[in-house]
Amino acid sequence: MKHRSCLSVVLAAGEGTRMKSSLPKVMHKIAGLPLVAHVILAVQADDKSDVAVVVGRGAELVEAAAQAVGSKVSVYQQKERLGTAHAVLSARNAIEQGYDDVLIVFGDTPLIEASSLSHARQQLASGADIVVMGFRPENPYGYGRLIENEGRLVAIIEEKEANEAQKAVGFCNGGLMAVKGAHLLALLDAVKNDNAKGEYYLTDIVALAHGKGLNVIAQEVPADNVIGINNRLELSQAEAIWQNRKREELMLNGVTMIAPETVFFSYDTIIEPDVIIEPNVVFGAGVKVDTGAIIHAFSHVDGAYVGEQVSVGPYARLRPGADLATGSKVGNFCEVKNAKIGERAKVNHLSYIGDAEVGADANIGAGTITCNYDGYNKHKTSIGAHAFIGSNSSLIAPVTIAEGAYVGSGSVIVENVPANALAIARGRQENKEGRAEVLRQRYAQLKAELKHKV
Ligand code: UD1
Ligand code: CA
């Protein structure tokens, strides 16, 4: 089949007043990614078709978010908010390039699946002129109703214009449509604003096209594909749907989760098969977890690579730049930031390892801290392979502890330690025979004297 060129027009000029936010609505995030970016990922999932984003307030922010995930994105400003047809016409210059297909999608409808969009485009390829994505909401109130006749879509009637019979129709406009590029501008230019809201309704192109004898059809999509976000409650509901989709996808792909409803992913989280994730784990952006790893309960993993057979947590925090090689361990109450942990190396308890490199098979004792920050600059700590850092040591960076070295517990290390050396940097212990009894008597007497005074 001939490749069909495609333009996706993303409408994102809405005020979003109900978000009660200083941010433009489409900049609010689900799974750590702005709504508008989710839409762009969906429209560009199959082919990197061109994208025109129609924006109002906060144009620069929206443009940056769109460019960050998409290619060939251009941005058009809708100066006045005169309705959805007017919004699409703001991208007239893009539409005039003459695309085979134009997808019109909403920036606040982030859960649209690429498969629904490509199905609509297939319908265009096989003869439809307009494909409208319809769904059956529990409560159709507020949606445009899809009026069908003999398999053709005849009109979309907005709630405010609908009569009782039309209001009784449960099949509703999801808002998104695919239109043959050759027809779109003429149809949009014919739309008038003589309706209840005084707006140019995109939905009016359906009756106009039908009147011209064009082939207009509705395609039913799952309701959760076309959920639109208007307030923070709906934002959280969309987040929940997104998280459930991701959990299902991962579990069916071989990831074990004991309580999946308590595990949260980012839009770009990669978890390989045969990973086990215990309850209450949160993944920030930029994480990959390799096969055989286990993430124990209550861990927070952000911008990190977790290698094969690695064990993390419980209660671990991996921050950006944490890079845990095969078979290594980061245990309870440990924080790792911008640090490479070598193969089989262990950071098991209550440590902070930041701006560091830890060699293979090294052992970092409980409570070890890399003192990487002096209030102005960050400095690096290098720990060689097979090194052993005794518990409760402070490593004042910049510092290097070479291969195979030993650091005695409780040391404050300010100078480099050569390979295979033992470094001890703490007060020396003195034992005073019999002194405990002397102390006990002294303290008991003091207590008696104090009581007497009262
Ligand atoms: C629209 C549809 C309705 C459908 C519903 C699905 C129209 C006329 N109605 O109604 O049939 O059931 O979506 O959710 O299309 N926008 C602009 N500029 C404008 C107006 C809107 O960019 O001048 C953008 C908004 O930011 C939003 C989208 O277009 O992303 C939809 O606009 P909205 O006003 O929310 O339309 P609805 O009344 O929900
Ligand atoms: Ca809406």
Side-chain angles (χ1 to χ4, degrees):
M1 201 172 71
K2 170 185 168 287
H3 174 77
R4 298 175 63 86
S5 64
C6 181
L7 171 71
S8 297
V9 180
V10 181
L11 302 190
E15 277 295 319
T17 358
R18 283 172 285 169
M19 294 302 281
K20 308 213 165 140
S21 175
S22 56
L23 269 185
K25 173 161 78 173
V26 295
M27 289 307 295
H28 286 265
K29 292 177 177 176
I30 61 175
L33 189 72
L35 302 177
V36 67
H38 281 272
V39 175
I40 287 166
L41 287 178
V43 299
Q44 289 201 326
D46 290 332
D47 60 0
K48 300 288 172 205
S49 63
D50 295 359
V51 174
V53 185
V54 176
V55 297
R57 189 161 68 95
E60 310 74 35
L61 279 178
V62 177
E63 177 161 12
Q67 305 277 15
V69 295
S71 49
K72 296 187 282 179
V73 176
S74 50
V75 169
Y76 296 84
Q77 190 103 30
Q78 186 192 20
K79 302 240 158 55
E80 285 172 291
R81 208 170 167 281
L82 302 179
T84 42
H86 179 260
V88 178
L89 276 174
S90 307
R92 182 189 289 274
N93 288 346
I95 300 166
E96 274 173 350
Q97 308 292 308
Y99 294 88
D100 295 318
D101 301 342
V102 179
L103 287 174
I104 299 169
V105 295
F106 293 168
D108 65 354
T109 305
L111 298 178
I112 182 67
E113 286 176 300
S115 56
S116 299
L117 295 170
S118 61
H119 185 239
R121 285 187 61 199
Q122 278 158 26
Q123 309 246 45
L124 294 185
S126 46
D129 292 306
I130 300 183
V131 182
V132 172
M133 280 170 235
F135 72 118
R136 294 178 193 278
E138 270 176 39
N139 176 8
Y141 179 82
Y143 293 107
R145 306 301 204 285
L146 301 184
I147 311 300
E148 288 177 299
N149 186 18
E150 294 175 348
R152 295 288 177 97
L153 188 61
V154 178
I156 302 178
I157 309 293
E158 291 302 303
E159 174 82 29
K160 286 200 168 152
E161 328 288 333
N163 62 33
E164 288 312 310
Q166 290 162 336
K167 281 185 186 161
V169 173
F171 195 26
C172 292
N173 177 20
L176 317 187
M177 48 177 98
V179 185
K180 273 213 178 111
H183 302 303
L184 183 60
L185 281 177
L187 291 167
L188 288 171
D189 283 329
V191 171
K192 303 212 165 51
N193 66 348
D194 51 355
N195 52 46
K197 284 169 107 180
E199 284 188 2
Y200 296 91
Y201 292 159
L202 171 64
T203 43
D204 282 355
I205 70 169
V206 166
L208 289 166
H210 183 74
K212 284 188 179 182
L214 297 179
N215 179 10
V216 188
I217 56 172
Q219 166 194 323
E220 185 166 350
V221 299
D224 67 14
N225 260 245
V226 287
I227 279 181
I229 291 165
N230 298 303
N231 56 43
R232 312 265 181 156
L233 177 63
E234 288 166 352
L235 186 69
S236 75
Q237 290 162 342
E239 176 84 46
I241 293 168
W242 190 97
Q243 293 294 343
N244 273 331
R245 279 187 190 170
K246 182 76 179 181
R247 292 166 188 144
E248 277 172 25
E249 173 200 316
L250 289 173
M251 289 186 286
L252 295 177
N253 199 32
V255 174
T256 293
M257 282 183 257
I258 296 154
E261 68 282 6
T262 67
V263 179
F264 296 86
F265 300 96
S266 278
Y267 68 99
D268 62 350
T269 309
I270 300 171
I271 314 275
E272 296 291 343
D274 273 332
V275 167
I276 297 173
I277 305 172
E278 289 186 354
N280 297 299
V281 172
V282 175
F283 292 93
V287 172
K288 180 174 182 199
V289 181
D290 240 322
T291 188
I294 178 160
I295 313 289
H296 291 282
F298 294 99
S299 293
H300 191 280
V301 183
D302 188 13
Y305 170 70
V306 177
E308 290 181 25
Q309 311 294 332
V310 166
S311 172
V312 174
Y315 297 97
R317 179 168 185 209
L318 302 183
R319 290 172 53 203
D323 180 341
L324 279 44
T326 305
S328 60
K329 277 183 82 175
V330 172
N332 42 273
F333 304 105
C334 292
E335 175 178 338
V336 176
K337 182 215 77 169
N338 185 32
K340 281 195 157 68
I341 308 295
E343 293 187 10
R344 297 170 303 279
K346 295 190 183 80
V347 186
N348 270 340
H349 334 267
L350 300 144
S351 286
Y352 171 60
I353 305 296
D355 302 312
E357 202 154 321
V358 176
D361 299 294
N363 191 310
I364 310 293
T368 298
I369 305 289
T370 53
C371 307
N372 60 326
Y373 186 49
D374 54 20
Y376 296 90
N377 297 299
K378 304 264 167 69
H379 303 282
K380 191 174 167 186
T381 302
S382 293
I383 298 170
H386 296 278
F388 184 100
I389 312 296
S391 296
N392 206 33
S393 294
S394 302
L395 312 177
I396 315 276
V399 71
T400 296
I401 292 142
E403 269 195 45
Y406 242 85
V407 169
S409 294
S411 290
V412 176
I413 299 294
V414 294
E415 281 166 29
N416 293 346
V417 181
N420 297 310
L422 165 64
I424 306 175
R426 63 181 185 227
R428 199 170 260 284
Q429 180 172 336
E430 219 182 315
N431 290 340
K432 302 193 173 174
E433 291 294 333
R435 260 306 259 287
E437 192 46 36
V438 177
L439 279 181
R440 269 194 285 275
Q441 283 175 14
R442 186 193 293 166
Y443 295 150
Q445 193 181 348
L446 202 62
K447 190 172 175 183
E449 282 172 16
L450 285 171
K451 232 184 206 159
H452 191 68
K453 273 190 188 155
V454 175

